[in-house]
Amino acid sequence: MTEHSQSPKRPAHPNKKRDTPSQQSAHQTPKRTPSKQPPSKQPQSADDDILDFAKVNYLTVTRQQHDQRVDNFLLGRLKGLPRSHVYNMIRSDEIRVNGKRCKPHDKLQRNDVVRIAPIKLATREKPVISPDFAQSLLERIVYEDEGLIVLNKPSGMAVHGGSGESFGVIEAMREATGKKYLELVHRIDKDTSGLLMIAKKRSTLKTLQEHLREKTLQKTYLCLVAGWISSETQTIDKPLLKYTLPATQEGKSGERRVKVDIKSEDSKPSQTQINVLQKFELNGQKVSLIEAKPLTGRTHQIRVHLASIGHPLLGDDKYNPNVAKGDKSVRRLCLHAYKLEIPEYEVITADLPDDMQSLVG
């Protein structure tokens, strides 16, 4: 019969008294065990693309997004998702920052963790950009340095995806350049051509947006408008109000529009300087080529201000009554962002595009 021997217990040190449990808790600080999140909750860097939108995602804010608003942070990561859906997610508590509710204008700090609930829309696929299209965009760059790209955007291309657009300029430029960080400094309408600023660094983005807020960055547009403007130089000073058209019979939500409204408390002060460059006739109709400088940055400002003085832009399907009635003699919105004057930069310009130049003659 085999005997199993047991190792003798080591005696306690003769001079050391063992604390009772109550004495231990009285003078010992328990060690904090780092909380480990399950694999599904492990945050990823906000610099990296989200790969699976159907699950909860946790993004860690880096120095690239430090001090960025929550709504702008989300729009940059949920590319192609309609803006209205992003704001609905924030309101519905589907977005949390460090486990807490947030608002669109809240500012993020480095190392914050943003929780994004699953997104069910099937618009999250990465856009497919053909090599030829990518090259055509790169050829439209008119200025570039270590922090800024200025692109001469073609008319008819949205600046970002969403609202029926699978992708826009910013998504296409990210693909074309292979750069992880590219952000729009500002926006111009889909049908407007001309200079668009894209930041390659967070510091450049903040600096240029500060110039826009302080009105130390001047943008100048070239426009073709109906009629001959009598006053060669003037400033249009009329408050503007955003509104939404009534829903259509099909139940679709109405389009966003802007109008002059001097009575509403929600109207925003708005000023546009205009200077007439040329007067001529196009197909028997009087037309003016003008230079317009928006002194404020309201949605559709130039278009609405010029329509309000009886000289709507040619090709404007929203604010030109003739176009709204079916006049297709001019096939594009005749608005071109042609000059940028930025402090400490050279003046940047983009010539009038061929389709507008052909109308001037």
Side-chain angles (χ1 to χ4, degrees):
M1 186 174 186
T2 303
E3 294 183 358
H4 295 279
S5 60
Q6 294 182 348
S7 300
K9 293 182 179 179
R10 181 177 295 176
H13 195 284
N15 296 325
K16 184 176 181 181
K17 293 183 179 180
R18 302 183 68 180
D19 294 332
T20 64
S22 61
Q23 289 173 324
Q24 287 179 342
S25 61
H27 61 77
Q28 289 186 358
T29 303
K31 292 183 179 179
R32 293 184 63 183
T33 303
S35 59
K36 293 184 178 180
Q37 297 187 21
S40 62
K41 292 187 177 182
Q42 288 293 338
Q44 70 172 67
S45 169
D47 292 338
D48 299 330
D49 291 337
I50 297 175
L51 300 179
D52 185 359
F53 288 90
K55 70 175 187 179
V56 177
N57 282 280
Y58 294 84
L59 306 183
T60 301
V61 175
T62 74
R63 63 181 180 85
Q64 298 280 24
Q65 303 92 33
H66 177 75
D67 205 34
Q68 193 172 29
R69 284 171 49 131
V70 169
D71 54 355
N72 291 332
F73 172 87
L74 294 170
L75 289 167
R77 261 117 227 111
L78 308 180
K79 304 176 183 70
L81 194 68
R83 295 175 68 89
S84 59
H85 192 94
V86 171
Y87 286 102
N88 283 336
M89 290 182 70
I90 298 173
R91 284 193 295 268
S92 303
D93 198 23
E94 295 179 61
I95 306 296
R96 289 205 160 212
V97 178
N98 300 328
K100 299 179 181 179
R101 296 178 69 98
C102 60
K103 295 181 179 179
H105 59 265
D106 288 346
K107 294 291 187 71
L108 295 170
Q109 304 298 312
R110 189 174 182 180
N111 295 325
D112 282 350
V113 176
V114 180
R115 176 192 184 276
I116 303 175
I119 300 172
K120 297 179 182 179
L121 295 186
T123 57
R124 306 271 45 86
E125 294 184 3
K126 203 170 186 179
V128 178
I129 310 297
S130 71
D132 289 345
F133 182 76
Q135 184 60 35
S136 71
L137 271 185
L138 296 178
E139 289 174 356
R140 299 186 72 91
I141 294 175
V142 297
Y143 176 86
E144 182 172 10
D145 61 23
E146 61 180 12
L148 176 65
I149 290 174
V150 180
L151 185 79
N152 185 5
K153 186 188 84 67
S155 174
M157 186 173 186
V159 296
H160 56 74
S163 300
E165 303 289 339
S166 59
F167 67 90
V169 171
I170 190 62
E171 292 87 2
M173 285 296 291
R174 288 180 183 131
E175 287 293 300
T177 62
K179 296 182 181 298
K180 284 188 175 181
Y181 187 89
L182 283 182
E183 296 290 345
L184 293 167
V185 176
H186 62 127
R187 290 169 172 79
I188 57 177
D189 294 338
K190 174 182 176 179
D191 295 323
T192 302
S193 58
L195 300 175
L196 179 69
M197 294 180 285
I198 301 172
K200 298 162 65 177
K201 298 194 304 184
R202 177 70 179 156
S203 57
T204 302
L205 178 68
K206 292 177 68 176
T207 297
L208 294 177
Q209 289 184 335
E210 180 66 19
H211 281 312
L212 287 170
R213 282 191 295 271
E214 297 297 324
K215 300 180 178 60
T216 51
L217 187 160
Q218 181 62 62
K219 295 185 286 184
T220 305
Y221 294 76
L222 293 176
C223 323
L224 289 176
V225 301
W228 288 354
I229 300 178
S230 57
S231 179
E232 299 294 315
T233 302
Q234 61 178 292
T235 298
I236 305 171
D237 187 353
K238 297 183 179 183
L240 299 178
L241 177 69
K242 290 182 183 179
Y243 70 101
T244 303
L245 290 175
T248 62
Q249 292 180 351
E250 292 79 10
K252 298 179 182 178
S253 59
E255 286 187 55
R256 183 182 63 174
R257 295 288 177 90
V258 179
K259 63 181 178 181
V260 171
D261 192 322
I262 62 175
K263 296 180 180 179
S264 174
E265 294 181 354
D266 295 324
S267 295
K268 304 292 185 182
S270 309
Q271 300 86 33
T272 304
Q273 287 183 350
I274 64 171
N275 179 38
V276 178
L277 302 178
Q278 187 177 343
K279 296 177 182 179
F280 59 97
E281 289 192 359
L282 177 64
N283 299 327
Q285 302 296 318
K286 293 180 178 180
V287 174
S288 298
L289 171 65
I290 69 168
E291 184 181 75
K293 294 184 177 182
L295 304 183
T296 49
R298 312 301 180 200
T299 301
H300 297 173
Q301 176 176 316
I302 294 174
R303 300 165 67 177
V304 177
H305 269 170
L306 287 166
S308 75
I309 64 170
H311 297 282
L313 271 71
L314 301 189
D316 191 342
D317 61 355
K318 287 182 169 63
Y319 304 107
N320 187 327
N322 290 331
V323 178
K325 291 176 183 177
D327 180 5
K328 302 295 182 183
S329 58
V330 176
R331 297 183 177 276
R332 61 154 291 174
L333 175 68
C334 291
L335 181 61
H336 176 69
Y338 99 101
K339 184 163 66 174
L340 288 170
E341 297 171 83
I342 311 169
E344 299 181 5
Y345 282 77
E346 62 187 65
V347 176
I348 303 170
T349 61
D351 292 338
L352 202 64
D354 291 343
D355 52 1
M356 279 184 67
Q357 186 64 55
S358 64
L359 300 174
V360 177

